Amino acid sequence: MGSSSSLSTRLLALALSVSLLFTSSSGHGHSWDPYTDKAKMIHHDGPMLTGNVKLALMWYGDCGKDIKNTMRNFIKSLELPGKDHLQPQVTRWWEVVESYQAMMPGAKPGKSPKIKVEVVKQLTNKSYKHGKVLTLQAHIPILIEELTKGDTNVLPVIVAARDVSIQGLCNGKCADHLLTEDPKPSPYIIVGNPETECPEECGWPFVPAKPGSKGPVLKPPSGNMAADAMVIAFASALADAVTNPMGNGIYHENSATPMGPAAVCKGIFGPGAAPGNPGKVQTDPKTGGNFNAHGNKSKRFLLPAIWNPATKACWTL
């Protein structure tokens, strides 16, 4: 991802002992309670992604233009603030992720350097060439090879259409960042679609949570539940992947699984958040859509809380 060397060259030396499924980017299913437990992020001697993070996106199945445009606008908003300068901005959320660089050995004092995220390649597969149930061992490696053609300078992101299931998702996780297998493990991200796959789990807070939960149901800022929920899941996975790409970077050592800056704050979107209640967020007076961040081209997003190294607590915009 850096300008001077490929991703595999920079990370491989520190990755040989890392297992395939090393973290839960947006999951639970363990005893961790983000509302009461206190995380302790620790650097485990491994790298984080810095400099230029080049994404290669695969839209697997008929993802639709709403999902594509919403996710691409979010990625652009990490670097490009809206021209109307409304606050808060997505760029401020990303600055907290960038601030993790201060935890790395040899970090210089002051504001952390920029981490530029950009889409450098896209591939659409509407033919469902590999079926509608994708496994991590049999299908994902093939899709990554088709997408990257062996280019180790890109971070692959596999995005599923509404009628596609990806192994490991929809069981407390709506997106994840993983590693390809030896001999040259490298990180990638998978993003599920909650429109038909576990909407209560991965469509919340835009759909009612599980029965018995109390709290408001929010209206998606773009008007498309799946698109906005997938931004939440992808943002979480991206933050966790950047800070812990190889499984030995920066994370909280939970008893069940290592947890990154977004995973430890799952379910929190604003002040006053509680189980089943996302917290206080803003409302667009024209559309009624709920959001907490302004982005590129006047777009609005609902972004998840992340653990802030400065405050040592979950933080929201």
Short mmCIF file of all heavy atoms in Angstrom, two decimals, residues 22-46:
data_model
loop_
_atom_site.label_atom_id
_atom_site.label_comp_id
_atom_site.label_asym_id
_atom_site.label_seq_id
_atom_site.Cartn_x
_atom_site.Cartn_y
_atom_site.Cartn_z
N PHE A 22 -8.73 -14.25 12.08
CA PHE A 22 -8.05 -13.65 13.21
C PHE A 22 -8.86 -12.63 13.96
O PHE A 22 -8.47 -12.19 15.02
CB PHE A 22 -6.74 -13.00 12.78
CG PHE A 22 -6.94 -11.89 11.78
CD1 PHE A 22 -7.23 -10.60 12.18
CD2 PHE A 22 -6.84 -12.16 10.43
CE1 PHE A 22 -7.40 -9.61 11.25
CE2 PHE A 22 -7.02 -11.16 9.51
CZ PHE A 22 -7.30 -9.88 9.92
N THR A 23 -9.97 -12.16 13.41
CA THR A 23 -10.70 -11.13 14.13
C THR A 23 -12.13 -11.08 13.69
O THR A 23 -12.50 -11.61 12.66
CB THR A 23 -10.06 -9.74 13.91
OG1 THR A 23 -10.68 -8.81 14.80
CG2 THR A 23 -10.23 -9.24 12.50
N SER A 24 -12.95 -10.42 14.46
CA SER A 24 -14.35 -10.19 14.15
C SER A 24 -14.56 -8.70 13.96
O SER A 24 -14.60 -7.95 14.91
CB SER A 24 -15.24 -10.70 15.28
OG SER A 24 -16.58 -10.32 15.06
N SER A 25 -14.69 -8.27 12.72
CA SER A 25 -14.69 -6.84 12.43
C SER A 25 -15.94 -6.14 12.92
O SER A 25 -15.90 -4.97 13.23
CB SER A 25 -14.55 -6.63 10.92
OG SER A 25 -13.31 -7.03 10.49
N SER A 26 -17.04 -6.81 12.94
CA SER A 26 -18.24 -6.15 13.42
C SER A 26 -19.11 -7.16 14.14
O SER A 26 -20.31 -7.23 13.95
CB SER A 26 -19.00 -5.50 12.26
OG SER A 26 -19.22 -6.41 11.24
N GLY A 27 -18.48 -7.97 14.98
CA GLY A 27 -19.21 -9.08 15.55
C GLY A 27 -19.33 -9.06 17.04
O GLY A 27 -18.72 -8.29 17.75
N HIS A 28 -20.20 -9.95 17.54
CA HIS A 28 -20.25 -10.22 18.94
C HIS A 28 -20.34 -11.72 19.11
O HIS A 28 -19.58 -12.44 18.51
CB HIS A 28 -21.40 -9.46 19.62
CG HIS A 28 -22.71 -9.56 18.91
ND1 HIS A 28 -23.37 -10.74 18.77
CD2 HIS A 28 -23.47 -8.62 18.31
CE1 HIS A 28 -24.51 -10.54 18.13
NE2 HIS A 28 -24.58 -9.26 17.84
N GLY A 29 -21.26 -12.24 19.93
CA GLY A 29 -21.30 -13.67 20.14
C GLY A 29 -20.35 -14.08 21.25
O GLY A 29 -20.06 -15.24 21.43
N HIS A 30 -19.85 -13.11 22.02
CA HIS A 30 -18.97 -13.39 23.15
C HIS A 30 -19.44 -12.51 24.30
O HIS A 30 -20.48 -11.88 24.23
CB HIS A 30 -17.51 -13.11 22.78
CG HIS A 30 -17.33 -11.86 21.98
ND1 HIS A 30 -17.55 -10.61 22.52
CD2 HIS A 30 -17.02 -11.67 20.68
CE1 HIS A 30 -17.35 -9.69 21.58
NE2 HIS A 30 -17.04 -10.30 20.46
N SER A 31 -18.67 -12.46 25.35
CA SER A 31 -19.11 -11.78 26.56
C SER A 31 -18.86 -10.28 26.54
O SER A 31 -19.20 -9.60 27.50
CB SER A 31 -18.39 -12.40 27.77
OG SER A 31 -16.98 -12.27 27.64
N TRP A 32 -18.30 -9.77 25.48
CA TRP A 32 -17.95 -8.35 25.44
C TRP A 32 -19.20 -7.48 25.41
O TRP A 32 -20.11 -7.69 24.61
CB TRP A 32 -17.08 -8.05 24.23
CG TRP A 32 -16.70 -6.60 24.12
CD1 TRP A 32 -17.24 -5.67 23.29
CD2 TRP A 32 -15.73 -5.92 24.90
NE1 TRP A 32 -16.66 -4.45 23.48
CE2 TRP A 32 -15.72 -4.57 24.48
CE3 TRP A 32 -14.86 -6.32 25.91
CZ2 TRP A 32 -14.88 -3.62 25.03
CZ3 TRP A 32 -14.01 -5.36 26.46
CH2 TRP A 32 -14.03 -4.03 26.02
N ASP A 33 -19.24 -6.46 26.28
CA ASP A 33 -20.34 -5.51 26.32
C ASP A 33 -19.78 -4.12 26.03
O ASP A 33 -19.13 -3.52 26.88
CB ASP A 33 -21.01 -5.52 27.69
CG ASP A 33 -22.25 -4.62 27.73
OD1 ASP A 33 -22.42 -3.80 26.81
OD2 ASP A 33 -23.03 -4.74 28.69
N PRO A 34 -20.02 -3.57 24.84
CA PRO A 34 -19.43 -2.27 24.48
C PRO A 34 -19.98 -1.11 25.30
O PRO A 34 -19.39 -0.03 25.32
CB PRO A 34 -19.81 -2.11 23.00
CG PRO A 34 -21.04 -2.94 22.83
CD PRO A 34 -20.84 -4.12 23.76
N TYR A 35 -21.10 -1.32 25.99
CA TYR A 35 -21.71 -0.25 26.75
C TYR A 35 -21.12 -0.13 28.16
O TYR A 35 -21.21 0.93 28.78
CB TYR A 35 -23.22 -0.46 26.84
CG TYR A 35 -23.85 -0.63 25.48
CD1 TYR A 35 -24.16 -1.89 24.99
CD2 TYR A 35 -24.13 0.47 24.68
CE1 TYR A 35 -24.73 -2.06 23.74
CE2 TYR A 35 -24.70 0.32 23.43
CZ TYR A 35 -25.00 -0.95 22.96
OH TYR A 35 -25.55 -1.11 21.72
N THR A 36 -20.53 -1.19 28.66
CA THR A 36 -20.00 -1.17 30.03
C THR A 36 -18.54 -1.57 30.13
O THR A 36 -17.82 -1.09 31.01
CB THR A 36 -20.83 -2.10 30.93
OG1 THR A 36 -20.78 -3.45 30.40
CG2 THR A 36 -22.29 -1.65 30.99
N ASP A 37 -18.08 -2.46 29.26
CA ASP A 37 -16.69 -2.92 29.34
C ASP A 37 -15.73 -1.86 28.80
O ASP A 37 -16.07 -1.09 27.91
CB ASP A 37 -16.50 -4.23 28.57
CG ASP A 37 -17.27 -5.38 29.19
OD1 ASP A 37 -17.62 -5.26 30.38
OD2 ASP A 37 -17.52 -6.37 28.49
N LYS A 38 -14.53 -1.85 29.34
CA LYS A 38 -13.51 -0.90 28.92
C LYS A 38 -12.44 -1.61 28.09
O LYS A 38 -11.82 -2.57 28.55
CB LYS A 38 -12.86 -0.23 30.14
CG LYS A 38 -13.84 0.54 31.01
CD LYS A 38 -14.47 1.70 30.26
CE LYS A 38 -15.40 2.50 31.16
NZ LYS A 38 -16.07 3.61 30.42
N ALA A 39 -12.25 -1.13 26.88
CA ALA A 39 -11.25 -1.73 26.01
C ALA A 39 -9.87 -1.19 26.33
O ALA A 39 -9.72 -0.07 26.84
CB ALA A 39 -11.59 -1.45 24.55
N LYS A 40 -8.87 -1.98 26.01
CA LYS A 40 -7.49 -1.55 26.15
C LYS A 40 -6.76 -1.94 24.88
O LYS A 40 -6.36 -3.08 24.70
CB LYS A 40 -6.83 -2.20 27.37
CG LYS A 40 -5.41 -1.67 27.64
CD LYS A 40 -4.83 -2.29 28.89
CE LYS A 40 -3.42 -1.73 29.17
NZ LYS A 40 -2.83 -2.33 30.39
N MET A 41 -6.62 -0.98 23.98
CA MET A 41 -5.95 -1.23 22.72
C MET A 41 -4.44 -1.32 22.93
O MET A 41 -3.84 -0.42 23.53
CB MET A 41 -6.28 -0.13 21.71
CG MET A 41 -7.71 -0.15 21.24
SD MET A 41 -8.06 -1.59 20.21
CE MET A 41 -9.85 -1.44 20.08
N ILE A 42 -3.86 -2.39 22.43
CA ILE A 42 -2.43 -2.63 22.60
C ILE A 42 -1.80 -2.94 21.26
O ILE A 42 -2.38 -3.64 20.43
CB ILE A 42 -2.19 -3.82 23.56
CG1 ILE A 42 -2.77 -3.50 24.95
CG2 ILE A 42 -0.71 -4.13 23.69
CD1 ILE A 42 -2.69 -4.65 25.91
N HIS A 43 -0.60 -2.40 21.03
CA HIS A 43 0.16 -2.72 19.83
C HIS A 43 0.91 -4.03 20.06
O HIS A 43 1.65 -4.17 21.03
CB HIS A 43 1.15 -1.61 19.50
CG HIS A 43 1.95 -1.88 18.27
ND1 HIS A 43 3.32 -1.74 18.22
CD2 HIS A 43 1.58 -2.33 17.04
CE1 HIS A 43 3.74 -2.08 17.01
NE2 HIS A 43 2.70 -2.43 16.28
N HIS A 44 0.71 -4.98 19.16
CA HIS A 44 1.30 -6.31 19.30
C HIS A 44 2.48 -6.52 18.36
O HIS A 44 2.72 -7.63 17.90
CB HIS A 44 0.23 -7.37 19.08
CG HIS A 44 -0.86 -7.36 20.13
ND1 HIS A 44 -1.88 -6.43 20.13
CD2 HIS A 44 -1.05 -8.14 21.21
CE1 HIS A 44 -2.67 -6.66 21.16
NE2 HIS A 44 -2.20 -7.68 21.84
N ASP A 45 3.20 -5.45 18.07
CA ASP A 45 4.45 -5.49 17.31
C ASP A 45 4.27 -5.65 15.80
O ASP A 45 5.26 -5.65 15.07
CB ASP A 45 5.38 -6.60 17.83
CG ASP A 45 5.76 -6.40 19.28
OD1 ASP A 45 5.92 -5.22 19.68
OD2 ASP A 45 5.88 -7.39 20.02
N GLY A 46 3.04 -5.80 15.34
CA GLY A 46 2.83 -5.92 13.90
C GLY A 46 2.54 -4.59 13.25
O GLY A 46 2.46 -3.55 13.91
#
